Every structure is written in structure tokens, then in C-alpha cells.
Amino acid sequence: MEIKVLEGIFDANEIIARENRELLDGSGVFMVNLMASPGAGKTSFILATLDGVKDSLSCAVIEGDIAGKVDSERIAEQGVAAVQINTGGSCHLEAKQVNHALEHLDLDRLDMVLVENVGNLVCPAEFKLGEDLKVMILSVAEGHDKPLKYPLMFSESDVLIVNKTDLIEHTDFDMEALKETVRKMNPGVEMFEISCRTGEGVERWTDWLTEKVRSA
Amino acid sequence: MEIKVLEGIFDANEIIARENRELLDGSGVFMVNLMASPGAGKTSFILATLDGVKDSLSCAVIEGDIAGKVDSERIAEQGVAAVQINTGGSCHLEAKQVNHALEHLDLDRLDMVLVENVGNLVCPAEFKLGEDLKVMILSVAEGHDKPLKYPLMFSESDVLIVNKTDLIEHTDFDMEALKETVRKMNPGVEMFEISCRTGEGVERWTDWLTEKVRSA
């Protein structure tokens, strides 16, 4: 019986995710679902991405957090429209919450919406939001052994951002081992090595993303 | 209706957590529930802890992972009994899983069981396992702003380990800001600054833990 309830929740989420998809398609808006562990650098990555695409794409951000609005304030300071979702304890965003947030954005004036999911390498991978692209960030400080421990996230993501590469020399992180493991699990994944702190690698990512949004 | 189902699950978990507690008390075993984000250094911390207490306490480890047994193999290599729980997708350990794992350990010969929860800063905080002590790890690479974003974990933990202090000079991590925030949320929390990589700060923690286990 419990399983039936869960299936019901999952189905309802998928129905609303499809509605989000149709809503976004109607306005020609590309949506990115950004997922990562706490502290992998999601907000800094969003700020770097916004800066890199600002001349070519009109963007807005939906921030998902259990509590607080620190991140959306950081985004708004850059002059970008930001909507904060507080999940009130829940460990992932659901399509319904994103649907409410989309109502607060002027979609006809936008090219792209970046959604920052709750910091969690597990649950967000299970809930579609109606996104065009699932992007996950792994910080090199987390270690190269994470794909085998959190397989769904690494298998489901379209893009893997390896962030904080400026710390790599101070860690045991093995980039080649990571890439080999991830390619076996997810042969189609695009990988980018980035340091949001130094800016290294950001342009290659934002060029790729801009092309992706334009060709969508 | 959905809420009722969840309450049912939570209550069932708490009943089994109490059973675990009685089982452990019957054998005089102290249990630690160790929680953290993916990549905060839980397994390295367990290895460092085991090494620090090996002359005074007899220990075993229960490893919780979504998939794989990399961590329990690392523990077993040190000659310490390890039981692996694979949650098969679930983002936290529940008391029932720990109960099954305890059946595989010779409790009468043990002083302490260290439970490594699934890497997640959200859900594990909601599920009691029957532990004596909730210990959370924050890696300095995650940033000092995490308490406000993941308040339950920081409020519920008895001990906060700030790990990877060897990386602090390469980050913007503000230790005093972290401590101030955490003390406001959780005045009774014990905090330890540690680098499992260099060994700095480990002895202060293992001395404190040994005393805690002996006086329990």
C-alpha cells in the first residue's frame, strides 16, 4: 500500500513536469535542472554561468532551498530575476513547486531558466521538473569515487561539471579515474572541468550551453 | 492521507530505534550515527577514529550506501568488523536496516558501533537509529554557509566535525562565522576541527569520544 502511494506521488509529479515542459515550449524557454551535494558550488556556478551568457541569453533563476533566501539574494544582486522556493524540510524540488515559481516569471521575455535544486546527490535525481537539461556538479573535494556510491544522479545527468579544479592539487582526486567510471555508467554525458573561483574552464561550458539553448 | 502514511513510517522507525537502543544497552555498546554530505570524508574519518581508539575500545562499523561496498572493504582491511547495508536507492538509513546489521555483530565483545549513514545532509537527520550520539561532518570545501541551508542536521547533531581543515587556506571558509551560526542554532553542540589527511585535531576528538563511551 505504501508503494502505491509513492507511485501516485511520482505519477502526479510527472504529469506536472510535462505541463511545465509545455509551458516552457510555448514561450521558447530552455530550462536547466542543476543538482549537486551541499557545498559543491551550485550558486557560484550559476553566477559564473549567468555572467558568461549575459550578452546572448536572457535568463532567470529558480532557487530551491530547504530554508533561507541567501542564494536568491546573491542572484538578484546581479540584476537577474530570481524566485526562491523553500521546501520546508523536503530534500528535493518537485515539478509542482517549479510550476508555481514559473508563474512569477515573464517567460515570453526569457531564453533560459536555471533551477538550483536542493543540495542532495540522491533524491533530486528521481523527480523530473520538466527540464531540457539535467546538469550535476561534483566538487573535486568530494572525491572521484562518488559515481559508484550515487549511481542514479551520475547516470541521469546530461552534463557533469567537475568544479573547484583549483583545489585538485591539494587532494587525491583522480580526474581520469572519474571520467572512466562516469563514461561507463553514462556514455552520452558531457563533462566540463571548471573552477568558479579562478574562472578556468567556464567559457568552454557557457559557449556549449549557449549553442545548446539556441539550437533547442 | 499521505501525511498519515508518513507518520506511520516515522513511528515504526522510532519503535525499532528504541529496540536497537535496548539491544545495545543490554550489551553495553555505544552507537554513533555519522552523517554528512557526499564527499565530506566520512569513511576517512571513521578510519582515523578507529585508529585513535584502537587501544582502548573494541569497535565495529555499519556502512550505509545506496550501492557498492567500497567503504566497508576499506574498513575490513583495517581488521575491523564491518557490515554493509545497501539501501537500494533510499537516501537515508532506517532503524530496521541497522537492526538487521546489528544481528551480524557480536555485541557482547564490542564497546562501540560506528554507523556511516548515506551521504546526505537532509533526510538522515529525520530518522533515529537508536544511536547514543549524532555526529555530523562538514568539509571546509562545502562552505561556512551550510547551517542556514540545512538547519535540521546542524540542530540535531550532538557533535560537529569540521573536516579537511588542510584545505582552509585555499578556500573562503570562515571558521568563526560557522561557529557563531551553529552555536545560535545548537548551543550544546561539541565542535572539533580536524584534517583526516594530515591527522591534525584527530587526537582531541578520539580522546573526547573515548571518555564519552567509557562514561556512558
Side-chain angles (χ1 to χ4, degrees):
Chain A
M1 180 196 153
E2 282 149 21
I3 292 172
K4 275 187 193 162
V5 174
L6 281 171
E7 280 176 356
I9 293 168
F10 274 63
D11 285 351
N13 185 72
E14 194 145 341
I15 288 165
I16 301 168
R18 272 181 227 146
E19 288 175 13
N20 289 351
R21 192 61 265 136
E22 285 167 23
L23 182 68
L24 293 161
D25 283 344
S27 297
V29 177
F30 190 93
M31 189 164 80
V32 175
N33 179 6
L34 180 63
M35 300 172 285
S37 297
K42 290 183 292 303
T43 311
S44 302
F45 175 75
I46 287 178
L47 289 168
T49 301
L50 290 171
D51 191 57
V53 304
K54 68 174 184 285
D55 294 334
S56 42
L57 302 174
S58 176
C59 301
V61 174
I62 297 174
E63 282 288 335
D65 283 294
I66 290 173
K69 51 178 184 168
V70 183
D71 291 345
S72 53
E73 284 169 354
R74 282 176 70 192
I75 305 293
E77 277 169 18
Q78 305 301 314
V80 173
V83 181
Q84 180 76 51
I85 299 170
N86 280 155
T87 66
S90 176
C91 55
H92 59 274
L93 286 179
E94 294 186 16
K96 194 179 187 72
Q97 295 163 320
V98 172
N99 189 275
H100 288 317
L102 289 173
E103 287 172 13
H104 294 272
L105 295 172
D106 185 357
L107 295 179
D108 287 335
R109 302 183 68 170
L110 291 175
D111 300 308
M112 181 167 68
V113 174
L114 297 170
V115 181
E116 181 177 337
N117 219 309
V118 179
N120 183 334
L121 220 46
V122 186
C123 318
E126 294 174 19
F127 291 84
K128 292 179 189 171
L129 305 180
E131 68 274 48
D132 294 88
L133 200 68
K134 286 186 176 176
V135 177
M136 74 161 292
I137 305 178
L138 178 75
S139 148
V140 301
E142 294 175 64
H144 57 264
D145 61 340
K146 292 298 158 289
L148 296 175
K149 291 185 179 176
Y150 305 92
L152 187 66
M153 183 67 78
F154 284 86
S155 308
E156 287 276 316
S157 294
D158 304 300
V159 175
L160 167 61
I161 304 289
V162 185
N163 191 21
K164 307 198 187 184
T165 54
D166 55 296
L167 291 179
I168 204 162
E169 60 181 306
H170 310 293
T171 69
D172 306 317
F173 194 88
D174 184 336
M175 189 69 81
E176 289 314 308
L178 174 84
K179 287 181 176 174
E180 194 182 324
T181 312
V182 173
R183 285 236 167 75
K184 274 184 201 155
M185 299 168 74
N186 186 352
V189 71
E190 292 280 345
M191 290 190 259
F192 296 88
E193 297 171 35
I194 280 178
S195 166
C196 291
R197 196 175 156 88
T198 67
E200 201 183 341
V202 172
E203 197 175 337
R204 202 188 132 233
W205 150 249
T206 52
D207 285 352
W208 182 88
L209 178 65
T210 304
E211 179 55 32
K212 189 88 181 168
V213 174
R214 284 188 170 153
S215 63
Chain B
M1 181 194 150
E2 281 149 22
I3 292 171
K4 275 188 192 161
V5 173
L6 280 171
E7 280 175 356
I9 292 168
F10 274 63
D11 285 350
N13 185 72
E14 195 144 342
I15 289 164
I16 301 169
R18 273 181 226 145
E19 288 176 13
N20 289 350
R21 191 63 265 136
E22 285 167 23
L23 182 68
L24 293 161
D25 283 343
S27 297
V29 177
F30 190 93
M31 189 163 81
V32 175
N33 179 6
L34 180 63
M35 301 172 284
S37 297
K42 290 183 292 302
T43 310
S44 302
F45 175 75
I46 286 178
L47 289 168
T49 302
L50 290 171
D51 191 56
V53 304
K54 67 175 186 286
D55 294 333
S56 42
L57 302 173
S58 176
C59 301
V61 175
I62 296 174
E63 282 289 334
D65 283 295
I66 289 172
K69 51 177 186 170
V70 182
D71 291 345
S72 54
E73 285 170 354
R74 281 176 70 192
I75 306 293
E77 277 169 18
Q78 305 301 314
V80 173
V83 181
Q84 179 75 50
I85 299 170
N86 280 155
T87 65
S90 176
C91 56
H92 59 273
L93 285 179
E94 295 185 16
K96 195 180 185 72
Q97 295 164 319
V98 172
N99 189 275
H100 288 316
L102 289 173
E103 287 173 12
H104 294 273
L105 295 172
D106 186 357
L107 295 179
D108 287 335
R109 302 185 66 170
L110 293 175
D111 300 307
M112 180 168 68
V113 174
L114 297 169
V115 181
E116 180 176 337
N117 218 310
V118 179
N120 183 336
L121 220 46
V122 187
C123 318
E126 295 175 18
F127 291 84
K128 292 180 188 169
L129 306 180
E131 67 275 49
D132 294 88
L133 200 69
K134 286 186 177 178
V135 177
M136 73 161 292
I137 305 178
L138 178 76
S139 148
V140 301
E142 294 175 64
H144 56 264
D145 61 340
K146 293 299 157 290
L148 296 174
K149 292 186 180 177
Y150 306 92
L152 187 65
M153 183 67 79
F154 284 85
S155 308
E156 286 275 317
S157 295
D158 304 299
V159 175
L160 167 61
I161 304 289
V162 185
N163 191 23
K164 307 197 187 183
T165 53
D166 54 298
L167 290 179
I168 204 162
E169 60 182 305
H170 310 293
T171 69
D172 306 317
F173 195 89
D174 184 336
M175 189 69 82
E176 289 314 309
L178 174 85
K179 286 180 177 175
E180 195 182 324
T181 311
V182 173
R183 286 235 168 76
K184 275 185 201 154
M185 300 167 73
N186 186 352
V189 71
E190 293 281 346
M191 290 190 259
F192 296 89
E193 299 171 33
I194 280 179
S195 166
C196 291
R197 196 176 157 90
T198 67
E200 202 181 340
V202 172
E203 197 174 337
R204 203 188 131 231
W205 150 249
T206 52
D207 285 352
W208 182 90
L209 178 65
T210 304
E211 180 55 32
K212 190 88 181 166
V213 174
R214 283 187 173 153
S215 63

